[in-house]
């Protein structure tokens, strides 16, 4: 894989840390801003909504702009939003800052996904995506738990300052990874925007976007409310939240790395094996959540399965959107973040049921089950490699 891919992953690491770190900070944010934990969980959805709206809009606006200038602007806007978040004592302002950060993240990721796949041969999109997403999984392994520890020791605002500081090396990564000028961006033989948007009417693309959204809804729904499971259901101290997040992140790194080698040529195998295991894993975790050893083992396994299956489906989005070279990355970003927006909302509603803190785990199992049923009932070849 080309070195620029790994440098782009540095910036994705900074943004991934921000997107996921709220999983370990929600109780403290809720207390400080005088809202419930369920309400604070909406901050995750706010970020995802900004990603959903921002990805296609920004990608469309940036079609004729130099990639490096776009990416630099997005990183700087992302840093500024975190400075505002670190300073505010108002939940509405915090909500707005998350949306702004998400818009910047969306623009960055949409452009970066397109840039990443342009750096490799057409049959290696899955591996290129795996490298780029490794920034996200490394964020879950080190950045997110680190943010949780920092928040526990110095307060949740310190984690926001840390993310803003991370944008500095991310900026250097962009400068090193992306050449100045338009380069490939200035190509005259690319489709018109209308033609690229028309790809969204193709049933195979719509289906794989839906499947990716469902699987990611399950992932983000449980991840957002993992902290109460660790502290209340399992009865462990706050620092154990970081342990659980490290294990989930380590599992996700393993999952996206392994799946990255299979998703180009054997995506059906990943779905056929990983899908049923993921469906069974969430309710099993719900049942055994009060047993710390079982909890931590299953958190690792679910992280691996979630990102293996989710990453494979997002790769399928890039393949199905191959006729939209400047917008494909935004379609993949939308699929990821529709799930990230819907998942925490569904999970939050399940907290009020008899399942309590385990409700999000049960909800995640149901979401993955719906995804698998939809995949094999309506278009099995959409995830089996047919293009």
């Amino acid at each position: 894989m080309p070195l620029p891919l790994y440098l782009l992953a540095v910036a994705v690491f900074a943004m991934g840390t921000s997107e996921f770190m709220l999983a370990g900070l929600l109780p403290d944010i809720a207390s400080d801003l005088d809202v419930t934990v369920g309400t604070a969980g909406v901050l995750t959805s706010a970020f995802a909504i900004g990603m959903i709206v921002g990805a296609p809009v920004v990608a469309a606006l940036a079609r004729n702009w130099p990639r490096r200038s776009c990416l630099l602007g997005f990183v700087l806007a992302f840093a500024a939003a975190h400075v505002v978040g670190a300073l505010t004592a108002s939940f509405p302002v915090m909500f707005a800052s998350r949306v702004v950060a998400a818009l910047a993240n969306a623009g960055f990721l949409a452009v970066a996904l397109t840039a990443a796949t342009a750096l490799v041969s057409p049959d290696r999109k899955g591996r290129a995506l795996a490298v780029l997403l490794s920034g996200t999984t490394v964020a879950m392994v080190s950045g997110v738990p680190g943010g949780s520890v920092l928040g526990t020791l110095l307060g949740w605002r310190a984690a926001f300052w840390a993310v803003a500081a991370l944008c500095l090396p991310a900026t250097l990564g962009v400068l090193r990874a992306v050449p100045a000028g338009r380069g490939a961006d200035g190509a005259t033989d690319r489709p018109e925007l209308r033609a690229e948007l028309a790809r969204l009417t193709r049933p195979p693309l719509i289906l794989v976007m839906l499947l990716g959204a469902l699987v990611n809804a399950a992932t983000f729904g449980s991840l957002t409310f993992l902290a109460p499971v660790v502290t209340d259901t399992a009865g462990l101290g706050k620092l154990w939240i970081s342990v659980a997040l490290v294990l989930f992140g380590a599992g996700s790194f393993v999952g996206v790395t392994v799946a990255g080698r299979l998703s180009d040529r054997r995506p059906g195998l990943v779905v056929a094996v990983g899908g049923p295991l993921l469906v069974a894993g969430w309710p099993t975790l719900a049942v055994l959540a009060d047993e710390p050893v079982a909890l931590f083992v299953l958190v690792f396994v679910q992280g691996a399965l979630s990102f293996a299956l989710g990453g494979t489906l997002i790769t399928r989005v890039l393949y199905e959107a191959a006729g939209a070279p400047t917008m494909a990355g935004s379609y993949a970003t939308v699929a990821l973040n529709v799930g990230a927006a819907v998942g925490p909302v569904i999970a939050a509603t399940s907290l009020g049921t008899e399942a309590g803190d385990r409700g999000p785990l049960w909800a995640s199992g149901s979401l993955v089950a719906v995804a698998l049923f939809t995949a094999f009932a309506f278009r099995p070849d959409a995830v089996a490699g047919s293009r």
Side-chain angles (χ1 to χ4, degrees):
M1 292 287 104
L3 177 61
L5 277 177
Y6 296 94
L7 296 176
L8 286 174
V10 172
V12 175
F13 166 76
M15 295 182 176
T17 297
S18 171
E19 184 171 6
F20 303 128
M21 72 181 181
L22 293 191
L25 302 175
L26 278 183
D28 291 337
I29 292 176
S31 176
D32 196 14
L33 301 184
D34 196 26
V35 295
T36 66
V37 173
T39 299
V42 176
L43 292 173
T44 300
S45 295
F47 196 96
I49 290 170
M51 294 280 285
I52 294 166
V53 175
V57 172
V58 175
L61 292 174
R63 293 176 86 239
N64 298 317
W65 299 348
R67 283 179 178 162
R68 187 162 78 175
S69 297
C70 288
L71 296 176
L72 283 175
F74 295 143
V75 170
L76 294 176
F78 187 80
H82 282 77
V83 171
V84 172
L87 294 173
T88 188
S90 166
F91 183 78
V93 173
M94 171 63 78
F95 186 94
S97 74
R98 295 303 288 172
V99 173
V100 171
L103 290 172
N105 191 356
F108 183 91
L109 191 57
V111 176
L113 281 169
T114 303
T117 55
L119 292 172
V120 298
S121 59
D123 62 343
R124 304 187 81 190
K125 291 181 180 179
R127 293 195 66 180
L129 180 62
V131 171
L132 199 64
L133 289 181
S134 69
T136 299
T137 56
V138 170
M140 298 182 70
V141 173
S142 59
V144 175
S148 179
V149 171
L150 192 62
T152 299
L153 298 177
L154 300 177
W156 63 268
R157 296 177 190 275
F160 276 70
W161 285 113
V163 169
L166 275 175
C167 291
L168 296 178
T171 299
L172 296 177
V174 171
L175 289 172
R176 291 290 304 275
V178 183
R182 284 179 169 76
D185 295 56
T188 59
D189 58 346
R190 66 186 178 191
E192 294 184 356
L193 178 59
R194 181 179 300 178
E196 295 200 47
L197 293 175
R199 301 290 293 183
L200 284 172
T201 63
R202 298 182 66 252
L205 176 57
I206 295 172
L207 178 60
V208 291
M209 289 178 68
L210 173 62
L211 299 179
L214 286 169
V215 171
N216 281 285
T219 303
F220 284 88
S222 286
L223 181 62
T224 298
F225 296 102
L226 185 59
V229 174
V230 174
T231 57
D232 298 338
T233 304
L236 300 172
K238 283 187 177 181
L239 287 177
W240 286 100
I241 296 173
S242 299
V243 175
L245 292 173
V246 166
L247 289 171
F248 191 93
S252 68
F253 182 80
V254 171
V256 78
T257 301
V258 173
R261 298 179 178 276
L262 297 173
S263 58
D264 288 314
R265 298 177 181 176
R266 305 193 67 184
L269 176 63
V270 178
V271 176
V273 175
L277 290 175
L278 187 59
V279 170
W282 286 123
T284 302
L285 178 54
V287 171
L288 299 178
D290 56 350
E291 298 290 339
V293 174
L295 170 66
F296 290 135
V297 170
L298 287 169
V299 161
F300 175 87
V301 171
Q302 292 304 97
L305 293 172
S306 294
F307 273 76
L309 185 59
T312 296
L313 291 171
I314 297 306
T315 299
R316 298 309 310 160
V317 172
L318 293 176
Y319 274 117
E320 294 294 343
T326 65
M327 295 297 291
S330 70
Y331 300 157
T333 302
V334 167
L336 273 168
N337 288 281
V338 164
V342 173
V345 173
I346 294 174
T349 60
S350 71
L351 292 171
T353 67
E354 293 183 1
D357 292 333
R358 305 178 200 227
L361 304 175
W362 288 105
S364 292
S366 299
L367 287 167
V368 179
V370 170
L372 289 185
F373 174 80
T374 303
F376 293 107
F378 291 96
R379 188 71 183 255
D381 63 319
V383 294
S386 176
R387 300 193 285 281

